[in-house]
Amino acid sequence: MNTDAILAKLKRYPVAVVCVVLTIIFIGVLYIRSSRIPALEEEMNQMEGEWKAIGDNKLHAVDLNTHLEKLNAITEKIDGRLMSADSKAINYQYFYKLEKSSGIRIEDLNQRDSSNAAAKAGAAKLELFQPIVFTVTAEGTFKQILTFLYELQYGNYFTIIKDFSCSGIESEKEKDVQDLVDLAVTLEVLGVK
């Protein structure tokens, strides 16, 4: 068979020729891309997992704005419970309000610099907060002291009592004084950096 006979047959059956050529091209492409099949299947599985996660998130995201508003309100409330080390007057005022409500008498109140090594070690773990150290010396009845400590622990600010000592006072006028107690306490209040 010569070239002219082959060309005549090809012209006689053009659809079959195109189909054979396309089949050869598709087989070649399939052979070349067959090495990528496992990678493409893995990518498809990953995308199906992401699509399922998106569907689950959409299903569970009911009232998302309401939840966000609640979260923002809670965050604002927590921020309001953080003390500022620079606002000494406001900090002292807080303790004097506790003095008034509990009935004790504060004899000495100091906000110490929290730059000592122990405070720095504890504060190194905190990125956004710092402990503000206070020492309080007070006098009152045992019940008043307990009330003060309770209000301090469960008050407006996040407080940790670090050191505590309490001792009775001997007075010359035992009839006028009802079992007064001295209180010395060191505490840390969570503050903003």
Side-chain angles (χ1 to χ4, degrees):
M1 230 190 219
N2 62 13
T3 334
D4 290 334
I6 294 173
L7 287 174
K9 290 233 180 211
L10 290 177
K11 287 181 182 179
R12 192 172 173 195
Y13 302 106
V15 175
V17 171
V18 171
C19 287
V20 169
V21 170
L22 286 177
T23 302
I24 292 171
I25 291 172
F26 286 143
I27 289 172
V29 169
L30 185 62
Y31 177 74
I32 291 170
R33 294 189 55 121
S34 66
S35 62
R36 289 203 53 212
I37 289 176
L40 291 173
E41 285 178 348
E42 184 179 328
E43 186 179 341
M44 187 178 89
N45 289 337
Q46 181 182 359
M47 287 182 172
E48 284 176 351
E50 289 176 5
W51 181 253
K52 185 180 181 304
I54 289 171
D56 288 346
N57 288 342
K58 184 178 178 184
L59 178 68
H60 297 296
V62 177
D63 294 333
L64 193 58
N65 287 334
T66 306
H67 294 300
L68 184 61
E69 289 173 7
K70 285 180 184 178
L71 186 62
N72 286 337
I74 291 170
T75 304
E76 286 178 18
K77 188 175 179 181
I78 289 173
D79 287 345
R81 295 187 68 189
L82 298 174
M83 199 175 260
S84 173
D86 297 333
S87 304
K88 285 188 176 184
I90 295 171
N91 300 347
Y92 284 0
Q93 184 181 20
Y94 173 71
F95 284 97
Y96 288 123
K97 283 180 184 177
L98 291 178
E99 173 189 41
K100 185 177 180 181
S101 66
S102 65
I104 65 165
R105 185 173 62 90
I106 293 180
E107 296 174 349
D108 187 31
L109 173 62
N110 288 316
Q111 178 177 333
R112 290 192 286 166
D113 183 21
S114 59
S115 62
N116 63 21
K120 278 187 179 179
K125 298 176 186 174
L126 302 173
E127 295 177 8
L128 303 174
F129 310 105
Q130 71 176 359
I132 303 171
V133 181
F134 288 92
T135 54
V136 180
T137 307
E139 176 182 283
T141 64
F142 190 69
K143 183 177 180 181
Q144 290 171 334
I145 296 291
L146 288 178
T147 303
F148 174 74
L149 291 174
Y150 179 84
E151 290 179 2
L152 188 64
Q153 188 68 28
Y154 297 103
N156 188 41
Y157 297 110
F158 298 109
T159 306
I160 297 174
I161 297 175
K162 289 294 198 176
D163 188 28
F164 169 82
S165 68
C166 195
S167 60
I169 300 175
E170 292 186 25
S171 68
E172 299 160 0
K173 303 177 183 178
E174 289 185 23
K175 292 180 182 177
D176 294 342
V177 179
Q178 23 164 288
D179 301 325
L180 289 180
V181 178
D182 269 339
L183 169 71
V185 65
T186 303
L187 51 101
E188 289 181 357
V189 178
L190 190 62
V192 183
K193 277 193 175 182

